Amino acid sequence: MDSEEHNCPVCGQSVETVVKRHKTLGAWVPLWVAGPCRNPECEAYVEEGTGPEDERARKTGRKSAAKKS
């Protein structure tokens, strides 16, 4: 595991490291990536309470299935 610190590509502020996973040869393999930016002045800002499905919907421009209005 590398000890590299991740930074926001927009504002440069350090962000937390989150674990994602992908399947390789039938096994789930962890992948450590940069988490969302928590700087309210940044264009890439994501609110603290936003769940992963809401964040994914925001990136793709779709509405979350969990929130029907």
Side-chain angles (χ1 to χ4, degrees):
M1 187 168 120
D2 67 55
S3 61
E4 181 180 318
E5 186 175 305
H6 296 284
N7 295 324
C8 174
V10 178
C11 69
Q13 177 176 322
S14 62
V15 294
E16 65 185 349
T17 302
V18 295
V19 179
K20 303 242 179 189
R21 61 187 189 147
H22 67 276
K23 206 167 197 178
T24 301
L25 298 173
W28 289 104
V29 179
L31 179 66
W32 287 266
V33 296
C37 185
R38 302 292 185 202
N39 179 3
E41 297 172 1
C42 178
E43 292 177 11
Y45 172 69
V46 177
E47 288 185 32
E48 188 71 34
T50 306
E53 62 279 342
D54 295 337
E55 196 173 313
R56 208 174 305 122
R58 184 183 61 83
K59 287 181 181 176
T60 59
R62 299 180 184 166
K63 291 186 178 180
S64 175
K67 293 183 180 179
K68 291 188 177 182
S69 302

Coordinates of all heavy atoms in Angstrom, one line a residue:
M1 N 0.8 -1.2 0.0 CA 0.0 0.0 0.0 C 0.9 1.2 0.0 O 1.9 1.3 0.7 CB -0.9 0.0 1.2 CG -1.9 1.0 1.3 SD -3.1 0.7 2.6 CE -2.9 2.1 3.5
D2 N 0.6 2.2 -0.8 CA 1.4 3.4 -0.9 C 0.9 4.4 0.1 O -0.3 4.4 0.5 CB 1.5 4.0 -2.3 CG 0.2 4.5 -2.8 OD1 -0.4 5.4 -2.1 OD2 -0.2 4.1 -3.9
S3 N 1.7 5.3 0.6 CA 1.3 6.3 1.5 C 1.2 7.7 0.9 O 1.3 8.7 1.5 CB 2.4 6.4 2.6 OG 3.6 6.8 2.1
E4 N 0.8 7.7 -0.4 CA 0.7 8.9 -1.2 C -0.6 9.6 -0.7 O -1.6 9.0 -0.5 CB 0.5 8.5 -2.6 CG 0.3 9.7 -3.5 CD 0.1 9.3 -5.0 OE1 0.9 8.4 -5.4 OE2 -0.7 9.9 -5.7
E5 N -0.5 10.9 -0.5 CA -1.6 11.8 -0.1 C -2.3 12.3 -1.3 O -1.7 12.7 -2.3 CB -1.1 13.0 0.8 CG -2.2 13.8 1.3 CD -1.7 14.9 2.3 OE1 -1.0 14.5 3.2 OE2 -2.1 16.0 2.0
H6 N -3.6 12.2 -1.3 CA -4.4 12.6 -2.5 C -4.8 14.1 -2.3 O -5.1 14.5 -1.2 CB -5.6 11.7 -2.7 CG -5.3 10.3 -3.0 ND1 -4.9 9.9 -4.2 CD2 -5.3 9.2 -2.2 CE1 -4.7 8.6 -4.2 NE2 -4.9 8.2 -3.0
N7 N -4.8 14.8 -3.5 CA -5.3 16.2 -3.5 C -6.4 16.4 -4.5 O -6.5 15.6 -5.5 CB -4.1 17.1 -3.9 CG -3.0 17.1 -2.9 OD1 -3.2 17.0 -1.7 ND2 -1.8 17.1 -3.3
C8 N -7.2 17.4 -4.2 CA -8.3 17.7 -5.1 C -7.7 18.2 -6.4 O -6.9 19.1 -6.4 CB -9.2 18.8 -4.5 SG -10.5 19.4 -5.6
P9 N -8.2 17.7 -7.6 CA -7.6 18.2 -8.8 C -8.0 19.6 -9.2 O -7.3 20.3 -10.0 CB -8.1 17.2 -9.9 CG -9.3 16.6 -9.3 CD -9.1 16.7 -7.8
V10 N -9.0 20.2 -8.6 CA -9.5 21.5 -8.8 C -8.9 22.6 -8.0 O -8.3 23.5 -8.5 CB -11.1 21.6 -8.7 CG1 -11.6 23.0 -9.0 CG2 -11.7 20.6 -9.6
C11 N -8.9 22.4 -6.6 CA -8.4 23.4 -5.7 C -7.0 23.0 -5.1 O -6.4 23.9 -4.5 CB -9.4 23.7 -4.6 SG -9.7 22.4 -3.4
G12 N -6.6 21.8 -5.1 CA -5.4 21.4 -4.6 C -5.4 21.0 -3.1 O -4.3 20.6 -2.6
Q13 N -6.5 21.1 -2.4 CA -6.6 20.8 -1.0 C -6.5 19.3 -0.8 O -7.0 18.5 -1.7 CB -8.0 21.3 -0.5 CG -8.2 21.0 1.0 CD -9.5 21.5 1.5 OE1 -9.8 22.6 1.2 NE2 -10.2 20.8 2.3
S14 N -5.9 18.9 0.2 CA -5.8 17.4 0.5 C -7.2 16.9 0.8 O -8.0 17.5 1.4 CB -4.8 17.1 1.6 OG -5.3 17.7 2.8
V15 N -7.4 15.7 0.3 CA -8.7 15.0 0.5 C -8.4 13.6 1.1 O -7.3 13.1 1.0 CB -9.5 14.8 -0.9 CG1 -9.9 16.2 -1.4 CG2 -8.7 14.1 -1.9
E16 N -9.5 13.0 1.7 CA -9.3 11.7 2.3 C -9.2 10.7 1.2 O -9.5 10.8 0.1 CB -10.5 11.4 3.2 CG -11.8 11.3 2.4 CD -13.0 11.1 3.3 OE1 -12.9 10.9 4.5 OE2 -14.2 11.2 2.8
T17 N -8.6 9.5 1.6 CA -8.4 8.4 0.7 C -9.6 7.4 1.0 O -9.9 7.1 2.1 CB -7.1 7.7 1.0 OG1 -6.0 8.6 0.9 CG2 -6.9 6.5 0.1
V18 N -10.3 7.0 -0.1 CA -11.4 6.1 0.1 C -11.0 4.8 -0.7 O -10.2 4.8 -1.6 CB -12.7 6.7 -0.5 CG1 -13.1 7.8 0.4 CG2 -12.6 7.1 -1.9
V19 N -11.6 3.7 -0.3 CA -11.4 2.4 -0.9 C -12.5 2.1 -1.9 O -13.7 2.1 -1.5 CB -11.2 1.3 0.1 CG1 -11.0 0.0 -0.6 CG2 -10.1 1.6 1.1
K20 N -12.2 1.9 -3.1 CA -13.1 1.4 -4.1 C -12.7 0.0 -4.4 O -11.6 -0.5 -4.0 CB -13.1 2.3 -5.4 CG -13.3 3.7 -5.1 CD -14.5 4.2 -5.8 CE -14.8 5.6 -5.5 NZ -16.0 6.1 -5.9
R21 N -13.4 -0.7 -5.2 CA -13.0 -2.1 -5.6 C -13.4 -2.4 -7.0 O -14.3 -1.8 -7.6 CB -13.6 -3.1 -4.6 CG -15.1 -3.1 -4.6 CD -15.6 -4.1 -3.6 NE -17.1 -4.2 -3.8 CZ -17.7 -5.3 -3.5 NH1 -17.1 -6.3 -3.0 NH2 -19.0 -5.4 -3.7
H22 N -12.6 -3.3 -7.6 CA -12.9 -3.8 -8.9 C -12.6 -5.3 -8.9 O -11.9 -5.8 -8.1 CB -12.1 -3.0 -10.0 CG -10.7 -3.3 -9.9 ND1 -9.8 -2.6 -9.1 CD2 -9.9 -4.1 -10.7 CE1 -8.6 -3.0 -9.3 NE2 -8.6 -3.9 -10.2
K23 N -13.3 -6.0 -9.9 CA -13.1 -7.4 -10.0 C -12.0 -7.8 -11.0 O -12.0 -7.3 -12.1 CB -14.4 -8.0 -10.4 CG -14.6 -9.4 -9.9 CD -16.0 -9.9 -10.1 CE -16.3 -11.1 -9.2 NZ -17.6 -11.6 -9.3
T24 N -11.1 -8.6 -10.5 CA -10.0 -9.0 -11.4 C -9.9 -10.5 -11.3 O -9.7 -11.1 -10.2 CB -8.6 -8.4 -11.0 OG1 -8.8 -7.0 -11.1 CG2 -7.5 -8.8 -11.9
L25 N -10.0 -11.2 -12.4 CA -9.9 -12.7 -12.4 C -10.9 -13.4 -11.3 O -10.5 -14.3 -10.6 CB -8.5 -13.2 -12.2 CG -7.5 -12.7 -13.3 CD1 -6.1 -13.1 -12.9 CD2 -7.9 -13.3 -14.6
G26 N -12.0 -12.8 -11.2 CA -13.0 -13.4 -10.2 C -12.9 -13.0 -8.8 O -13.6 -13.4 -7.9
A27 N -11.9 -12.1 -8.5 CA -11.7 -11.7 -7.1 C -11.8 -10.2 -7.0 O -11.4 -9.5 -7.9 CB -10.3 -12.1 -6.6
W28 N -12.4 -9.7 -5.9 CA -12.5 -8.3 -5.7 C -11.2 -7.7 -5.2 O -10.6 -8.3 -4.2 CB -13.6 -7.9 -4.7 CG -15.0 -8.2 -5.3 CD1 -15.8 -9.2 -5.0 CD2 -15.6 -7.3 -6.2 NE1 -17.0 -9.1 -5.8 CE2 -16.9 -7.9 -6.5 CE3 -15.3 -6.2 -6.9 CZ2 -17.8 -7.4 -7.4 CZ3 -16.2 -5.6 -7.7 CH2 -17.5 -6.2 -8.0
V29 N -10.7 -6.7 -5.8 CA -9.4 -6.1 -5.5 C -9.6 -4.7 -5.0 O -10.2 -3.9 -5.7 CB -8.4 -6.2 -6.7 CG1 -7.1 -5.5 -6.4 CG2 -8.3 -7.6 -7.2
P30 N -9.0 -4.3 -3.8 CA -9.2 -2.9 -3.4 C -8.4 -2.0 -4.2 O -7.3 -2.3 -4.7 CB -8.6 -3.0 -1.9 CG -7.7 -4.1 -1.9 CD -8.2 -5.1 -2.9
L31 N -8.9 -0.8 -4.3 CA -8.2 0.3 -5.1 C -8.4 1.6 -4.2 O -9.5 2.0 -4.0 CB -8.9 0.5 -6.4 CG -8.4 1.5 -7.3 CD1 -6.9 1.2 -7.8 CD2 -9.2 1.7 -8.6
W32 N -7.3 2.1 -3.8 CA -7.3 3.3 -3.0 C -7.3 4.5 -3.9 O -6.4 4.7 -4.7 CB -6.2 3.4 -2.0 CG -6.3 2.4 -0.9 CD1 -6.9 2.7 0.4 CD2 -6.0 1.0 -0.8 NE1 -6.9 1.5 1.1 CE2 -6.4 0.5 0.4 CE3 -5.4 0.1 -1.8 CZ2 -6.2 -0.8 0.8 CZ3 -5.2 -1.2 -1.4 CH2 -5.6 -1.7 -0.2
V33 N -8.3 5.4 -3.8 CA -8.5 6.6 -4.6 C -8.8 7.8 -3.8 O -9.1 7.7 -2.6 CB -9.6 6.4 -5.7 CG1 -9.3 5.2 -6.6 CG2 -10.9 6.2 -5.0
A34 N -8.7 9.0 -4.4 CA -9.0 10.2 -3.7 C -10.5 10.3 -3.5 O -11.3 10.0 -4.3 CB -8.5 11.4 -4.6
G35 N -10.8 10.8 -2.3 CA -12.2 11.0 -1.9 C -12.7 12.3 -2.4 O -12.0 13.0 -3.1
P36 N -14.0 12.6 -2.1 CA -14.6 13.9 -2.6 C -14.0 15.1 -1.8 O -13.5 15.0 -0.7 CB -16.1 13.7 -2.2 CG -16.1 12.8 -1.1 CD -14.9 11.8 -1.3
C37 N -14.0 16.3 -2.5 CA -13.4 17.5 -1.9 C -14.5 18.1 -0.9 O -15.6 18.1 -1.2 CB -13.2 18.5 -3.0 SG -12.4 20.0 -2.4
R38 N -14.0 18.5 0.2 CA -14.9 19.0 1.3 C -14.7 20.5 1.4 O -15.2 21.1 2.4 CB -14.6 18.4 2.6 CG -14.8 16.9 2.6 CD -16.2 16.5 2.4 NE -16.4 15.1 2.5 CZ -17.4 14.4 2.0 NH1 -18.3 15.0 1.4 NH2 -17.5 13.1 2.2
N39 N -14.0 21.2 0.5 CA -13.7 22.6 0.5 C -15.0 23.3 -0.1 O -15.2 23.2 -1.3 CB -12.5 23.0 -0.3 CG -12.2 24.5 -0.3 OD1 -12.9 25.3 0.3 ND2 -11.2 24.8 -1.0
P40 N -15.8 24.1 0.7 CA -17.0 24.7 0.2 C -16.8 25.7 -0.9 O -17.7 26.0 -1.7 CB -17.6 25.4 1.4 CG -16.8 25.1 2.6 CD -15.6 24.3 2.1
E41 N -15.6 26.2 -1.0 CA -15.3 27.2 -2.1 C -14.8 26.6 -3.4 O -14.6 27.3 -4.4 CB -14.2 28.2 -1.6 CG -14.7 29.0 -0.3 CD -13.5 29.8 0.3 OE1 -12.4 29.8 -0.2 OE2 -13.8 30.4 1.3
C42 N -14.7 25.3 -3.4 CA -14.2 24.5 -4.6 C -15.4 24.1 -5.5 O -16.5 23.8 -5.0 CB -13.4 23.3 -4.1 SG -12.8 22.2 -5.5
E43 N -15.1 24.1 -6.8 CA -16.1 23.7 -7.8 C -16.5 22.2 -7.6 O -17.6 21.8 -7.9 CB -15.6 23.9 -9.2 CG -15.5 25.4 -9.6 CD -14.9 25.6 -11.0 OE1 -14.8 24.6 -11.7 OE2 -14.6 26.7 -11.3
A44 N -15.6 21.4 -7.1 CA -15.8 20.0 -7.0 C -16.3 19.6 -5.6 O -16.3 18.4 -5.2 CB -14.5 19.2 -7.3
Y45 N -16.8 20.6 -4.8 CA -17.2 20.4 -3.5 C -18.4 19.4 -3.4 O -19.3 19.5 -4.2 CB -17.7 21.7 -2.9 CG -18.3 21.6 -1.5 CD1 -17.6 21.3 -0.4 CD2 -19.7 21.9 -1.4 CE1 -18.3 21.2 0.8 CE2 -20.3 21.9 -0.2 CZ -19.6 21.5 0.9 OH -20.2 21.5 2.2
V46 N -18.4 18.5 -2.4 CA -19.5 17.5 -2.2 C -19.8 17.7 -0.7 O -18.9 17.6 0.1 CB -19.0 16.1 -2.5 CG1 -20.2 15.1 -2.2 CG2 -18.7 16.0 -4.0
E47 N -21.1 17.9 -0.4 CA -21.5 18.0 1.0 C -21.2 16.8 1.8 O -21.2 15.7 1.3 CB -23.0 18.3 1.1 CG -23.3 19.7 0.6 CD -24.8 20.0 0.8 OE1 -25.4 19.5 1.8 OE2 -25.3 20.8 0.0
E48 N -21.0 16.9 3.1 CA -20.6 15.8 4.0 C -21.6 14.7 4.0 O -21.3 13.6 4.0 CB -20.4 16.4 5.4 CG -19.9 15.4 6.4 CD -18.4 15.1 6.1 OE1 -17.7 16.0 5.7 OE2 -18.0 13.9 6.4
G49 N -22.9 15.0 4.0 CA -24.0 14.0 4.2 C -24.3 13.3 2.9 O -25.2 12.4 2.8
T50 N -23.7 13.7 1.8 CA -24.1 13.1 0.5 C -23.6 11.7 0.4 O -22.4 11.4 0.6 CB -23.5 13.9 -0.7 OG1 -23.8 15.3 -0.5 CG2 -23.9 13.4 -2.0
G51 N -24.5 10.7 0.0 CA -24.1 9.4 -0.1 C -23.5 9.1 -1.5 O -23.5 9.9 -2.4
P52 N -22.9 7.9 -1.6 CA -22.2 7.6 -2.8 C -23.1 7.5 -4.1 O -22.7 8.0 -5.1 CB -21.6 6.2 -2.6 CG -21.7 5.9 -1.2 CD -22.7 6.9 -0.6
E53 N -24.3 7.1 -3.9 CA -25.2 7.1 -5.0 C -25.6 8.5 -5.5 O -25.8 8.7 -6.7 CB -26.5 6.2 -4.8 CG -27.4 6.7 -3.6 CD -26.9 6.3 -2.3 OE1 -26.1 5.4 -2.1 OE2 -27.3 6.9 -1.3
D54 N -25.7 9.4 -4.5 CA -26.0 10.8 -4.9 C -24.9 11.4 -5.6 O -25.0 12.2 -6.5 CB -26.4 11.6 -3.6 CG -27.6 11.1 -2.9 OD1 -28.5 10.5 -3.6 OD2 -27.8 11.4 -1.7
E55 N -23.7 11.1 -5.1 CA -22.4 11.7 -5.7 C -22.3 11.1 -7.2 O -22.0 11.9 -8.1 CB -21.3 11.2 -4.9 CG -20.0 12.0 -5.2 CD -18.9 11.6 -4.2 OE1 -19.2 11.5 -3.0 OE2 -17.8 11.3 -4.7
R56 N -22.6 9.9 -7.4 CA -22.5 9.3 -8.7 C -23.5 9.9 -9.6 O -23.3 10.2 -10.8 CB -22.8 7.8 -8.6 CG -22.1 7.0 -9.7 CD -22.2 5.5 -9.5 NE -21.8 5.0 -8.2 CZ -22.5 4.4 -7.3 NH1 -23.8 4.1 -7.6 NH2 -22.0 4.0 -6.1
A57 N -24.7 10.2 -9.1 CA -25.8 10.8 -9.9 C -25.4 12.2 -10.3 O -25.7 12.6 -11.4 CB -27.1 10.8 -9.2
R58 N -24.8 12.9 -9.4 CA -24.4 14.3 -9.7 C -23.3 14.3 -10.8 O -23.4 15.1 -11.7 CB -23.8 14.9 -8.4 CG -23.4 16.4 -8.6 CD -22.8 17.0 -7.3 NE -21.6 16.3 -6.9 CZ -20.4 16.6 -7.4 NH1 -20.2 17.5 -8.4 NH2 -19.3 15.9 -7.0
K59 N -22.4 13.4 -10.8 CA -21.4 13.3 -11.8 C -21.9 13.0 -13.2 O -21.4 13.5 -14.2 CB -20.3 12.3 -11.4 CG -19.4 12.7 -10.3 CD -18.4 11.7 -10.0 CE -17.5 12.1 -8.8 NZ -16.5 11.0 -8.5
T60 N -23.0 12.1 -13.2 CA -23.5 11.7 -14.5 C -24.7 12.6 -14.9 O -25.2 12.5 -16.0 CB -24.0 10.3 -14.4 OG1 -25.0 10.1 -13.4 CG2 -22.9 9.3 -14.2
G61 N -25.1 13.5 -14.0 CA -26.2 14.4 -14.4 C -27.6 13.7 -14.2 O -28.6 14.3 -14.7
R62 N -27.7 12.6 -13.6 CA -29.0 11.9 -13.4 C -29.5 12.1 -12.0 O -28.7 12.4 -11.0 CB -28.8 10.4 -13.6 CG -28.3 10.1 -14.9 CD -28.1 8.6 -15.0 NE -27.6 8.2 -16.3 CZ -27.1 7.0 -16.6 NH1 -27.1 6.1 -15.7 NH2 -26.6 6.8 -17.8
K63 N -30.8 11.9 -11.8 CA -31.4 12.0 -10.5 C -31.2 10.7 -9.8 O -31.3 9.6 -10.4 CB -32.8 12.4 -10.6 CG -33.1 13.8 -11.0 CD -34.5 14.1 -10.9 CE -34.8 15.5 -11.4 NZ -36.2 15.9 -11.3
S64 N -31.0 10.7 -8.5 CA -30.8 9.5 -7.7 C -32.2 8.7 -7.6 O -33.2 9.3 -7.5 CB -30.3 9.8 -6.3 OG -30.3 8.6 -5.5
A65 N -32.1 7.4 -7.7 CA -33.4 6.6 -7.6 C -33.9 6.6 -6.2 O -35.1 6.5 -6.0 CB -33.1 5.2 -8.0
A66 N -33.1 6.9 -5.2 CA -33.6 6.9 -3.8 C -34.4 8.1 -3.5 O -35.3 8.1 -2.7 CB -32.4 6.9 -2.9
K67 N -34.2 9.2 -4.3 CA -34.9 10.5 -4.0 C -35.9 10.7 -5.1 O -35.5 11.2 -6.2 CB -34.0 11.6 -3.9 CG -33.1 11.6 -2.7 CD -32.2 12.9 -2.7 CE -31.3 12.8 -1.5 NZ -30.5 14.0 -1.4
K68 N -37.2 10.4 -4.9 CA -38.2 10.6 -5.9 C -39.1 11.8 -5.4 O -39.6 11.7 -4.4 CB -39.0 9.4 -6.1 CG -38.3 8.3 -6.8 CD -39.2 7.1 -7.2 CE -38.4 6.1 -7.9 NZ -39.2 5.0 -8.3
S69 N -39.2 12.8 -6.3 CA -40.0 13.9 -5.9 C -41.2 14.1 -6.8 O -41.1 13.9 -8.0 CB -39.2 15.2 -6.0 OG -38.0 15.1 -5.2

